[in-house]
Amino acid sequence: TAGRQIMEFTFDVTTNTSNAQYLVLQVPNRNFEGYTHLAFKVRGNSGGEVLKVKLESGGNQTEVFISPFLAGGITTSYQDVKIPLSTFTAVNISTISAVTFVAANNIGTTSGTIQIDDVGFTRENESSQAARVFDELDDDYSRTAWDTSAHSDASATVEAVSDSGVPGASANNRVYKIDYTFKTSNLSYPLEIPYIIVEKPFYLSIAPYSKLNFIYKGVGSSNHVELKLQDSDDTIWYRKFLEASNTGGEWKTATFPVDQLTFFSKGTDAELNMRKIKKLYFAISKSTGGAGAFTVDSFGSPEGGDFSTSDPSRLIASFKVINNPFSPNGDKVKDEAFFVYTLGSQSKVNLRIYGLDGIERKILFSGDQSAGEQSVSWDGTDSNSDLIENGIYLYRLEAEGVDNRKDLLVQVIAVLK
């Protein structure tokens, strides 16, 4: 577009074989856990330039060549570069301090000029829509166990209505619409914040996911929106979106990391068990007050799995890994990796972790499994129950069916604590 600015890096390292020049982008110790790739656009003035990109965290760093992640290396046209963060093996993704582009004579580059744009960290398969939908919110209101409650200074009605205007929705899509009103005078309890709450039984594990989202729109007054999750022992954590209830009738997607949920109320304990969520709440709490309508659809996650494959003709008919890389450091965010696959028939299954040296680190599963979807998790420990070192590992999934078919899948997974 007109007026767009880029970074231009002109280098000349012809005078000394050990000479190097750098374009350094400082990052103030940002945490990029949950992201999967370093991404940017690049082009050269002549084409054929040879450069490296380096990530730094603390005193650790890893350099990788850019060209292997491009079709034909750097050319005179802009190309999108996406380098898996698992490639930067010595770097702690939670404390990135710099992104550096490196030109050096001893890697084949002498002089030249390149342009770089849109440097950032991205997630594989991330989109504005839910890649994994937990609840379509399509059921008729009268047939569900949704409950509505309201403060004495507020009132609301809830109904399931047809709305095919949601981006990507089918013609018969249904949504939940909350019509609400806050009193503007004669408040019964002036020191309290009026609210409207709708709740629904959920009963689903969302432990594999580090981000959540929902699709919504609103008209009328601007008030706060809250999403709450209640686990099996009645602990509630929530995320508040300030004055988000009025979007001018435009559908939007609210996406947030799970670690942005904050404590709301205590059950048996104060920890939210993401494996056993039993209720989902949406609430409107008063800001400017007044009246409005808030509509919500498709609660889910933008994460569809960091690696996936599907072939119905194979014994392992589909496969995906959720959380790759993952960080088993006890902070309850991406502490486990999940291997989710579908078997075409009952099979003898082995799922094992190996180091790049070929030495087995752990047997995650060995035994019989029935046809259909299966899931196995890895908490980052080895066969001695010790946390494994940061680095790149191989997972090997073998299946032998009762119909004498055999299948094998081998891929890499990264551990970044």
Side-chain angles (χ1 to χ4, degrees):
T1 59
R4 183 182 183 93
Q5 293 186 325
I6 61 173
M7 292 179 290
E8 187 169 89
F9 180 26
T10 299
F11 52 90
D12 187 343
V13 290
T14 59
T15 58
N16 189 308
T17 57
S18 62
N19 196 27
Q21 293 178 353
Y22 307 91
L23 172 64
V24 182
L25 308 178
Q26 297 292 339
V27 182
N29 292 319
R30 286 282 306 278
N31 185 345
F32 290 101
E33 287 183 323
Y35 292 84
T36 61
H37 290 75
L38 172 66
F40 53 91
K41 299 179 186 296
V42 64
R43 73 176 179 185
N45 276 12
S46 302
E49 293 85 354
V50 180
L51 297 174
K52 287 184 175 182
V53 62
K54 175 172 65 176
L55 286 188
E56 298 179 62
S57 63
N60 298 319
Q61 60 187 39
T62 300
E63 294 180 350
V64 300
F65 284 98
I66 294 173
S67 293
F69 301 92
L70 293 170
I74 296 175
T75 67
T76 56
S77 298
Y78 273 115
Q79 295 186 77
D80 290 312
V81 184
K82 292 183 69 177
I83 304 176
L85 292 180
S86 57
T87 309
F88 299 93
T89 54
V91 178
N92 185 344
I93 302 302
S94 67
T95 55
I96 296 296
S97 58
V99 180
T100 303
F101 294 89
V102 182
N105 184 275
N106 59 8
I107 63 172
T109 296
T110 55
S111 62
T113 299
I114 62 166
Q115 289 83 37
I116 302 167
D117 199 9
D118 295 342
V119 181
F121 293 86
T122 65
R123 295 191 61 82
E124 187 73 270
N125 299 325
E126 185 162 4
S127 68
S128 60
Q129 302 301 313
R132 168 66 165 94
V133 177
F134 304 137
D135 197 327
E136 292 280 7
L137 308 185
D138 276 347
D139 294 335
D140 286 334
Y141 181 76
S142 60
R143 294 208 311 266
T144 73
W146 279 90
D147 288 326
T148 304
S149 59
H151 188 273
S152 59
D153 293 320
S155 61
T157 59
V158 182
E159 59 181 336
V161 297
S162 297
D163 193 327
S164 59
V166 182
S170 62
N172 59 355
N173 184 64
R174 297 170 72 82
V175 298
Y176 279 94
K177 183 181 178 185
I178 306 167
D179 290 287
Y180 66 88
T181 302
F182 292 111
K183 292 182 180 179
T184 57
S185 61
N186 301 319
L187 296 182
S188 303
Y189 301 95
L191 297 181
E192 295 181 356
I193 299 176
Y195 60 86
I196 296 100
I197 298 176
V198 293
E199 61 182 83
K200 182 184 183 183
F202 191 55
Y203 299 111
L204 187 67
S205 170
I206 57 177
Y209 300 93
S210 63
K211 283 189 176 182
L212 301 175
N213 64 7
F214 60 92
I215 303 173
Y216 70 101
K217 71 176 181 179
V219 294
S221 300
S222 293
N223 293 289
H224 307 316
V225 176
E226 299 175 13
L227 179 144
K228 298 180 180 179
L229 297 173
Q230 181 177 350
D231 68 14
S232 57
D233 66 5
D234 297 326
T235 299
I236 298 176
W237 285 53
Y238 80 121
R239 173 70 157 81
K240 178 179 281 191
F241 302 86
L242 298 177
E243 297 189 350
S245 67
N246 180 14
T247 69
E250 178 185 355
W251 284 105
K252 294 182 176 294
T253 301
T255 303
F256 61 96
V258 169
D259 61 9
Q260 288 186 1
L261 289 167
T262 56
F263 176 75
F264 182 79
S265 63
K266 184 176 180 179
T268 304
D269 56 39
E271 297 296 324
L272 185 68
N273 186 345
M274 301 295 283
R275 294 180 180 274
K276 296 182 179 180
I277 300 299
K278 75 173 185 180
K279 280 190 178 181
L280 167 68
Y281 299 81
F282 284 99
I284 311 294
S285 59
K286 184 176 180 179
S287 175
T288 60
F294 183 78
T295 308
V296 64
D297 192 23
S298 295
F299 172 58
S301 171
E303 300 168 346
D306 296 292
F307 169 79
S308 63
T309 183
S310 178
D311 184 349
S313 66
R314 294 181 56 171
L315 179 56
I316 304 174
S318 69
F319 180 89
K320 66 180 177 181
V321 179
I322 299 170
N323 294 344
N324 186 12
F326 75 115
S327 54
N329 55 17
D331 64 357
K332 297 183 174 60
V333 179
K334 298 186 73 171
D335 277 340
E336 294 180 274
F338 295 82
F339 305 87
V340 182
Y341 49 94
T342 302
L343 298 173
S345 67
Q346 181 178 337
S347 303
K348 173 70 174 179
V349 173
N350 282 283
L351 178 56
R352 301 167 186 250
I353 302 295
Y354 293 85
L356 295 181
D357 54 8
I359 297 175
E360 182 183 288
R361 297 297 198 270
K362 189 166 187 176
I363 300 173
L364 298 183
F365 182 86
S366 180
D368 293 322
Q369 289 184 324
S370 59
E373 186 173 275
Q374 305 290 340
S375 178
V376 177
S377 64
W378 182 31
D379 61 2
T381 61
D382 60 18
S383 57
N384 296 319
S385 298
D386 296 323
L387 276 178
I388 210 158
E389 296 295 323
N390 283 353
I392 305 297
Y393 297 87
L394 297 174
Y395 57 85
R396 179 185 176 96
L397 176 64
E398 299 175 272
E400 182 176 355
V402 294
D403 51 5
N404 295 320
R405 286 190 295 167
K406 294 183 179 181
D407 208 346
L408 172 66
L409 191 149
V410 180
Q411 287 288 334
V412 298
I413 187 168
V415 177
L416 299 169
K417 291 177 287 196

